[in-house]
Structure formats: C-alpha cells, structure tokens
C-alpha cells in the first residue's frame, strides 16, 4: 500500500471551542454569554439542550490533556471564553478565568502539545450584546482590549494565535439567517457585524504581536466550495454569488482587496446596503489587511448552486454524493482546490486546516469499541486532498481535526457527534473511537495510505 508522507514538521492536532466543551457556564466568576442566553431561550436548540455542562472540560481538562497525549496529538486548538475573562465584556478582569487557561496551557506544554488559541469562537459576553453586539463598532474595540488581556497573560507560552473563528458564521449565520446566537434576521446587521469582526481582527494583530514575542497570528475563515448545478449562465452566476457571499466577502479584505465589487453591487441591488458601506470608515480596509502569518481554513463540504430567481433566488441543490449526518456532501476535492486557490490566488504565506471532520452518531458496540469507519474514510480522503495540495505547492503546515470529542453542536445540540472520542454525556466517560486510533497511526507515521 502506497504511503503518502507529509512534510517532516507537519503538525497534527484536534480542535474544540470553549462553549462546546467547557460547561461550568456560571462558575468562578464567569459572566453570561450570548450562547448561554440563546440556549436558555426555549425553541432555539433542536434537542432543547444547553452547554451548561457539555463535556465538563472545565473540571476535567487535566484528564483530557492526558488523553490527548496518550493519543499522540501534537497540537490542540481551543478557544477562550471571553465572559470567563471579562464577565462584563470589558473592564473588570476575572482572574480565576485567566488562571484556568493558564493551567491548561501549562498542562499542554508539559505534555508536548502545541497550543493554538482562538480568541473568539462565538461566546460574546451578553453585556456587549445588550449594547448592540457585533453590529456596533464598540464591540470591535472591546475585542481588542480582551485580546490584550489574554495575550498579556498567556503570550509568554502561547505562540500561535487565531483572532476569530469563522466570521461568516458570526456575521451571516447569526445575524441574517438567525440560526446561531443572537438569532437575528437582518441583512444590515449581518454586514455591519461582519465588518466589525474583520476590523477587530486587524486591530488585534499588532496588539497580540506586542504581547507575545515571536508569535504567529492569523484568522480562521470557513469555506464552502461553490459549484454551479449546470453550465447555464444563470447557475454559473448563482455559484459566483455564493462564493462571494460565503468565501470572498471575508478572504478578499483580509488579503487587501477590499470588499468584492460584484458583491457590493449585488447587495446594493437587493436592498441590503441602503446606506452603502457607511460602516466602513477611512483606513478600515488597511487595518483589516494587516499582514498575518497564516490563514486558518475550516472546510467541511461544498454547495451546488442553482438559480431559481425571481421566486427562490439562489438555491443549494443536493447531489447523489454521500453525505455525513449533518447533511453535508462529502467532497474532498473541494479541500484540494480551495487550498490551491488560497495559495495561488491569495498568496497566503502559510495555511493551517484549523477544522475538518464529520458527524456520525456511531456509538460503542457491546465490546466497547466505537466502529466509526465512515469517519475514518472521510478523514482519509481529506488528508489525501491536503497531501495533494502540498504536492501542488500549497504551504499547508498542519491539520486540526474537528473535533477532539463529541460536544455541544450549537443549534443541533447533542444530536450531531463530530468527535474522534466518544463522550457519554450522562457519565462523562470518554472512549476514543476507531477513527481516533487510525488518526493516531497517521500521526505516528506522518503518512496516510493511498487506499
Ligand atoms: C464549524 C464550527 C465548529 C463546529 C463545526 C462542525 O462551523 O467552527 O464549532 O461546530 O462547524
């Protein structure tokens, strides 16, 4: 069996986020976040669950680090809960919150696991939401103070920083589609929120660099590879629109290209920008384009687009290809093409796959083993796609599987399991799945088999 060898320094890890695993939602001085408020509001989460306890990682972090170490993981991407550090969003610092992450970082370093810290993975302090949240420029300013506090406290030991996770989800999924907290459906809010997230990223980059010597700083964007359902000009235009809305609206400004002109025109024509780009102040686009060390890439699936205007506009259609339990089509080729595009077209200096993974509910058999072979196959195909991109020249430096363990999957609650480790949410028992053991072997060999 042919073995595909990854570059010697390639970093293999797993990823999580604070709200999805920590629990302890109101312990030791933590303030309320918009996800606490959202999950405590009936009707928002498919199974009516909350992240109040989740994986109880806040109390079990030491065991979780020991488990990662046994499994051979080399890097761990996790996020910081802003309201655990600044319960009111700004101002008063909760030292107990900083201490928690400080111990976690020390534990990781002792276990030889490289920490990658995401500053914002969606749990905005409710106090800032009460002032208007991300549609307000002042929330972006508060983010910079928060980034300053955290990078001062951890910057001597953490050398890899991600400002934001998935601005598209923060902007559009949360403010236009309304599926995520705060659950609004307002295009103008979405566009303003997106801008302030990007702006706060640009502001924070030099602050983090000043506090964390020799650190590498980047942002994580999420990508859905867009293809037209047919070669008709209308379907081609639908795919261009979706790519603009989902991918280019964020990647273009980060790489100094301003907001894409075709999308500004489309949004204007649709009435989404009644006052134009009035939220963009002079100098903002230069700030957003602050040079970064790497781009974090989250990739799960593609979208096939059909134009159904004027009635239904741009629609996603489903193909015959296999889907994961999220209903996401399995399309590893999209990861390959995306990585190549980010390198050749945007000239990203370094790429990390900061999330990729699959939801399958396979649980323990009678012998206690979790035979999640479909997840293994999903990972294998995507590892090969990354390998092919590296062969084509893309500077892919590491791969973080989403997720270390089953956790609270946002609006889906506990109905979707993305973990390489099974979690029994009654007992908090963890069982590494067969896919995890397979990934451990890939890491040990730094290679994946072609078939
Ligand atoms: C991404 C999120 C992550 C997880 C995966 C499945 O959009 O960043 O927290 O929910 O999807």
């Amino acid at each position: 069996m042919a073995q595909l060898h990854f570059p010697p320094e390639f970093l293999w890890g797993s990823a999580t986020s604070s709200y999805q695993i920590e629990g302890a939602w109101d312990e030791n001085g933590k303030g309320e976040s918009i996800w606490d408020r959202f999950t405590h509001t009936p009707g928002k989460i498919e199974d009516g669950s909350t992240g109040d306890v989740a994986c109880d990682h806040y109390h079990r972090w030491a065991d979780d680090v020991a488990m990662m170490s046994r499994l051979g993981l080399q890097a761990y991407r996790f996020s910081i809960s802003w309201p655990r550090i600044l319960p009111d969003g700004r101002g008063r610092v909760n030292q107990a919150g900083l201490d928690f992450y400080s111990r976690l970082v020390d534990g990781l370093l002792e276990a030889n696991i490289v920490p990658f810290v995401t500053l914002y993975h969606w749990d905005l302090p409710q106090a800032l939401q009460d002032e208007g949240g991300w549609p307000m420029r002042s929330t972006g300013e508060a983010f910079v103070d928060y980034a300053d506090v955290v990078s001062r406290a951890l910057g001597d030991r953490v050398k890899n920083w991600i400002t934001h996770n998935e601005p598209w989800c923060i902007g559009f999924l949360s403010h236009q589609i309304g599926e995520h907290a705060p659950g609004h459906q307002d295009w103008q809010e979405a566009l303003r929120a997106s801008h302030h997230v990007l702006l706060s990223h640009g502001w924070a980059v030099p602050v983090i660099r000043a506090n964390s010597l020799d650190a590498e700083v980047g942002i994580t964007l999420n990508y859905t590879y867009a293809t037209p359902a047919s070669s008709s000009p209308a379907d081609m235009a639908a795919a261009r629109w979706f790519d603009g809305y989902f991918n280019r609206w964020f990647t273009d400004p980060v790489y100094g290209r301003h907001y894409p002109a075709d999308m500004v025109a489309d949004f204007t024509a649709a009435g989404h920008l009644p006052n134009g780009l009035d939220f963009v102040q002079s100098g903002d686009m230069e700030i957003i384009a602050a040079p970064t060390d790497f781009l974090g890439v989250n990739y799960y699936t593609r979208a096939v687009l059909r134009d159904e205007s004027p009635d239904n506009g741009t629609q996603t259609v489903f193909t015959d290809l296999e889907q994961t339990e999220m209903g996401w089509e399995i399309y590893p080729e999209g990861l390959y093409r995306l990585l190549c595009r980010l390198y050749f077209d945007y000239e990203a200096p370094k790429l990390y796959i900061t999330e990729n993974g699959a939801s399958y509910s396979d649980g323990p058999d009678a012998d206690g083993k979790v035979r999640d072979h479909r997840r293994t196959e999903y990972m294998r195909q995507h590892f090969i796609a990354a390998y092919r991109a590296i062969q084509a020249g893309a500077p892919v430096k590491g791969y973080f599987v989403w997720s270390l363990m089953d956790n609270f999957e946002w609006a889906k609650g506990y109905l979707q399991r993305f973990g390489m480790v099974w979690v029994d949410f009654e007992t908090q028992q963890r069982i590494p799945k067969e896919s995890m053991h397979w990934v451990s072997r890939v890491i040990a060999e730094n290679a994946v088999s072609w078939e």
Side-chain angles (χ1 to χ4, degrees):
M1 234 185 313
Q3 287 279 96
L4 308 177
H5 290 273
F6 282 76
E9 302 299 310
F10 200 77
L11 213 48
W12 295 96
S14 68
T16 63
S17 85
S18 47
Y19 187 73
Q20 293 178 278
I21 65 164
E22 284 179 5
W25 77 280
D26 64 349
E27 269 181 59
N28 292 348
K30 178 181 165 293
E32 187 188 17
S33 81
I34 56 173
W35 273 93
D36 295 318
R37 180 68 62 93
F38 197 65
T39 58
H40 295 159
T41 308
K44 300 294 187 193
I45 308 301
E46 216 174 299
D47 60 356
S49 65
T50 71
D52 290 2
V53 179
C55 305
D56 196 32
H57 173 77
Y58 185 76
H59 299 112
R60 294 166 194 265
W61 66 270
D63 290 346
D64 288 337
V65 171
M67 177 178 74
M68 281 188 250
S69 167
R70 282 197 302 279
L71 294 168
L73 291 163
Q74 300 167 335
Y76 177 50
R77 172 179 177 239
F78 63 96
S79 80
I80 309 256
S81 160
W82 183 345
R84 212 181 272 296
I85 307 294
L86 297 163
D88 312 310
R90 56 166 80 81
R92 184 173 59 89
V93 174
N94 177 35
Q95 189 57 41
L98 280 178
D99 292 346
F100 166 71
Y101 295 107
S102 187
R103 285 193 295 270
L104 174 62
V105 166
D106 286 343
L108 289 166
L109 293 174
E110 276 162 32
N112 251 320
I113 299 170
V114 183
F116 275 62
V117 166
T118 308
L119 286 166
Y120 187 71
H121 200 131
W122 307 352
D123 37 5
L124 184 74
Q126 181 62 39
L128 294 178
Q129 186 62 43
D130 294 342
E131 295 174 13
W134 283 112
M136 303 294 292
R137 201 171 165 98
S138 53
T139 295
E141 289 160 2
F143 174 79
V144 183
D145 294 345
Y146 158 64
D148 184 38
V149 169
V150 176
S151 56
R152 263 176 211 277
L154 306 180
D156 54 337
R157 291 155 290 155
V158 171
K159 296 298 175 187
N160 292 279
W161 296 90
I162 295 164
T163 52
H164 287 288
N165 178 69
E166 304 193 346
W168 180 85
C169 290
I170 308 168
F172 293 105
L173 191 60
S174 310
H175 294 88
Q176 175 237 324
I177 299 173
E179 193 176 308
H180 280 187
H184 297 180
Q185 293 185 321
D186 182 319
W187 271 94
Q188 289 177 61
E189 274 200 23
L191 289 159
R192 283 172 191 279
S194 300
H195 182 67
H196 298 141
V197 167
L198 289 177
L199 183 62
S200 71
H201 153 77
W203 276 332
V205 170
V207 172
I208 299 167
R209 287 200 204 290
N211 292 337
S212 183
L213 227 64
D214 302 322
E216 303 226 318
V217 188
I219 186 169
T220 281
L221 303 180
N222 54 319
Y223 291 92
T224 293
Y225 192 81
T227 31
S230 78
S231 57
S232 78
D235 287 352
M236 304 273 276
R240 175 202 52 79
W241 183 90
F242 187 88
D243 182 52
Y245 161 73
F246 207 98
N247 305 321
R248 287 183 289 126
W249 192 258
F250 300 94
T251 317
D252 279 16
V254 166
Y255 285 96
R257 300 181 181 181
H258 211 287
Y259 290 113
D262 61 323
M263 298 310 295
V264 173
D266 286 359
F267 288 155
T268 304
H272 303 326
L273 288 168
N275 305 311
L277 296 175
D278 64 340
F279 46 84
V280 180
Q281 296 184 10
S282 123
D284 282 6
M285 300 317 291
E286 289 72 29
I287 291 165
I288 292 173
T292 45
D293 300 289
F294 64 86
L295 175 65
V297 175
N298 289 1
Y299 176 82
Y300 291 91
T301 189
R302 77 162 165 177
V304 180
L305 285 313
R306 184 160 58 210
D307 176 74
E308 291 186 357
S309 52
D311 303 335
N312 293 316
T314 295
Q315 290 294 313
T316 309
V317 297
F318 293 96
T319 67
D320 295 336
L321 293 184
E322 199 183 324
Q323 299 169 0
T324 65
E325 287 180 18
M326 279 295 267
W328 292 348
E329 184 192 286
I330 302 173
Y331 194 67
E333 182 67 15
L335 178 60
Y336 167 74
R337 292 192 194 173
L338 170 67
L339 294 169
C340 289
R341 177 190 193 186
L342 293 170
Y343 174 51
F344 291 124
D345 190 1
Y346 289 94
E347 297 175 24
K350 264 189 194 185
L351 298 162
Y352 283 101
I353 296 159
T354 41
E355 282 182 32
N356 172 247
S359 170
Y360 289 111
S361 53
D362 308 291
D365 288 334
D367 62 358
K369 289 196 172 164
V370 183
R371 293 179 171 80
D372 58 333
H373 300 313
R374 293 172 298 174
R375 177 174 292 101
T376 304
E377 186 51 22
Y378 179 99
M379 293 317 310
R380 199 182 64 81
Q381 290 184 25
H382 287 81
F383 288 173
I384 291 172
Y387 173 87
R388 289 176 53 219
I390 295 168
Q391 294 305 304
V396 185
K397 302 298 179 189
Y399 205 122
F400 295 80
V401 176
W402 185 272
S403 180
L404 171 65
M405 53 188 161
D406 296 333
N407 56 47
F408 178 80
E409 179 46 41
W410 308 113
K412 307 280 181 197
Y414 297 99
L415 298 175
Q416 300 288 338
R417 290 177 177 265
F418 275 91
M420 294 189 291
V421 173
W422 169 268
V423 176
D424 178 330
F425 292 104
E426 296 296 316
T427 63
Q428 293 296 343
Q429 191 195 0
R430 275 89 158 125
I431 306 175
K433 303 178 187 179
E434 293 298 289
S435 62
M436 181 70 251
H437 295 306
W438 178 83
V439 169
S440 294
R441 284 198 295 281
V442 169
I443 298 173
E445 293 166 8
N446 198 31
V448 63
S449 64
W450 182 246
E451 46 189 8

